[in-house]
Amino acid sequence: MVMMDYIKEQAKLLPEVLAKREEIASVFCDMMAKNNPGQICLIASGTSYNAACAAAPFMEKILGKPVSVNAPSQVEKITAVNPLAVVISQGGNSTNILEIFERIHGIPTLVMTGDPDGRANRKGDGYREIPCGEETVGPKTKGYTITILTLYLMALEEGKRSGGISNREYGEYVEGLSQAADNLSENIDRTGTWVQANMETLRELKIIYMAGKRQGAKVAAEGTLKVMETLLIPGVAYEFEEFLHGPASSLGENVSGFYLLPTPGDPDYERMQRLVKYHRDICKSVYTVGLEESTDIRDCLLKLTGKWYTQPFEQILPMQVISAVVTEHMGLTGKGSLKFAGLDAVMQIKAENEKNI
């Protein structure tokens, strides 16, 4: 299996996971009913952290409760009133994740991992496997989208159970997610065509800035991580307005841009496009995701639902496919994982898998 295989698997996995939403959400709903928490505290690192950041606004809206996202290294203790902790890890073996349980001892904790043999799996009060299946290539792709969808579905089922949302609202959200899932196969194909059309400039990327608004900013964080992990170049993600307040002054001919546009009804939809034009006058390697039509090959045109909460399943695709395809063209496949392995040997970032002990 190579990275592109896992990217394509997303088109099959999303509708399958959506169809099992009651089963997938059951442990979370049981813990919510038992503990009636005042706040949900998501704790995660890396791609799992980025997925949690993308899921948190949706969860907060559906549950009507504060939902925070915390890196384990930044949590000394959770001070929220009557919290429920959700610890998320793709493999369940990150050393910083394993250490967090001592600091949150006594707090009801749900553990979510994508590996049934993860060492974190039995450290909480409940466990939910992230139903993405194995992903062995290092940089996670389907793990990102399926983690977001799992968190979304947990919130939706709990919202329905508790009466926080009506049956009509529940059905509308499920329909929006179903539409995004149905579009995914074509969107992966469209993204592949877009990458091939821009291969010459994508191979020459040196430094990247990625900007988005609201959900787009959350996706930009994961997109930048993917490109850094695979193309092995510097990248920074920004929230759109914060990007304008200083960082945009550093744009230059070797500083490429990826702009994740908000939905067309957003007042910054046109405004961000003015920034794109400004940046393209400086650098030729400036790309967008979110336009409905364009004759510029740098604009990645996808089938969009027009709903803010489906943007992670749409806007992450260009960076995922760049990470898989451009790295192969450049002879970089696997080199990021080798670099990480060398760093891990020095810094002990990952613990050994449970089944290997």
Side-chain angles (χ1 to χ4, degrees):
M1 296 282 284
V2 296
M3 195 171 177
M4 197 64 204
D5 294 323
Y6 295 119
I7 293 170
K8 291 179 178 179
E9 273 190 24
Q10 294 174 118
K12 174 176 175 285
L13 281 170
L14 259 73
E16 289 181 353
V17 172
L18 192 57
K20 298 177 181 178
R21 55 189 179 274
E22 291 186 13
E23 173 191 344
I24 285 168
S26 60
V27 176
F28 177 75
C29 291
D30 288 346
M31 293 185 72
M32 290 289 289
K34 179 180 178 180
N35 297 286
N36 190 26
Q39 179 169 332
I40 312 300
C41 302
L42 308 180
I43 302 172
S45 285
T47 289
S48 295
Y49 178 86
N50 291 335
C53 286
F58 183 83
M59 297 182 74
E60 192 166 87
K61 181 176 180 61
I62 300 299
L63 297 173
K65 298 175 185 283
V67 179
S68 65
V69 184
N70 314 269
S73 56
Q74 296 174 338
V75 177
E76 292 299 325
K77 64 178 181 178
I78 294 176
T79 58
V81 177
N82 190 28
L84 172 66
V86 181
V87 177
I88 310 164
S89 174
Q90 295 301 310
N93 300 305
S94 297
T95 52
N96 60 347
I97 286 290
L98 296 174
E99 291 167 359
I100 193 64
F101 294 98
E102 292 183 10
R103 279 172 272 152
I104 61 173
H105 180 71
I107 294 173
T109 301
L110 171 64
V111 177
M112 296 174 56
T113 76
D115 187 342
D117 297 306
R119 294 183 67 176
N121 295 9
R122 290 185 291 276
K123 290 185 176 290
D125 303 290
Y127 174 68
R128 170 69 262 173
E129 182 178 347
I130 302 166
C132 58
E134 189 176 40
E135 194 166 11
T136 62
V137 295
K140 299 299 185 286
T141 53
K142 63 177 182 173
Y144 172 73
T145 50
I146 298 303
T147 297
I148 296 171
L149 183 58
T150 300
L151 291 168
Y152 275 13
L153 297 179
M154 285 162 42
L156 276 175
E157 293 302 316
E158 172 58 18
K160 182 174 73 170
R161 182 200 70 81
S162 67
I165 57 174
S166 66
N167 288 335
R168 177 187 60 79
E169 290 172 314
Y170 174 86
E172 288 174 353
Y173 283 121
V174 171
E175 175 59 30
L177 293 170
S178 298
Q179 185 181 352
D182 290 343
N183 291 344
L184 200 50
S185 182
E186 180 174 340
N187 281 341
I188 292 170
D189 289 342
R190 288 191 184 194
T191 303
T193 301
W194 174 82
V195 168
Q196 293 297 337
N198 289 279
M199 183 63 71
E200 182 179 350
T201 55
L202 291 172
R203 285 172 56 96
E204 296 173 354
L205 296 176
K206 304 297 181 188
I207 302 169
I208 62 167
Y209 287 170
M210 201 169 295
K213 182 178 179 181
R214 297 196 179 97
Q215 279 296 76
K218 316 294 187 186
V219 179
E222 173 62 12
T224 304
L225 174 61
K226 288 283 90 63
V227 175
M228 289 192 291
E229 285 181 309
T230 55
L231 293 185
L232 310 180
I233 59 174
V236 189
Y238 291 100
E239 193 282 325
F240 171 58
E241 193 66 35
E242 293 305 308
F243 181 60
L244 296 177
H245 285 254
S249 300
S250 64
L251 294 176
E253 63 180 356
N254 289 324
V255 181
S256 302
F258 290 79
Y259 294 93
L260 310 185
L261 302 175
T263 54
D266 190 287
D268 283 322
Y269 180 72
E270 299 292 342
R271 188 164 175 250
M272 194 181 292
Q273 291 178 63
R274 296 203 302 270
L275 177 59
V276 170
K277 184 179 185 305
Y278 173 84
H279 195 171
R280 283 176 173 171
D281 288 340
I282 299 170
C283 175
K284 63 183 179 181
S285 303
V286 177
Y287 314 93
T288 74
V289 186
L291 285 175
E292 295 182 292
E293 56 184 29
S294 172
T295 57
D296 193 315
I297 64 169
R298 292 170 291 184
D299 299 321
C300 185
L301 307 180
L302 303 175
K303 289 183 70 175
L304 307 173
T305 69
K307 303 180 187 302
W308 67 272
Y309 57 88
T310 65
Q311 285 180 320
F313 311 114
E314 300 157 347
Q315 293 189 333
I316 193 57
L317 293 176
M319 284 68 74
Q320 287 185 343
V321 177
I322 286 170
S323 299
V325 175
V326 178
T327 50
E328 182 179 359
H329 277 257
M330 297 178 67
L332 293 173
T333 301
K335 290 192 176 181
S337 295
L338 289 174
K339 283 197 170 188
F340 181 84
L343 181 63
D344 186 29
V346 175
M347 301 303 298
Q348 291 78 53
I349 305 166
K350 300 286 186 181
E352 191 171 0
N353 191 289
E354 188 78 41
K355 67 183 177 183
N356 296 327
I357 297 175

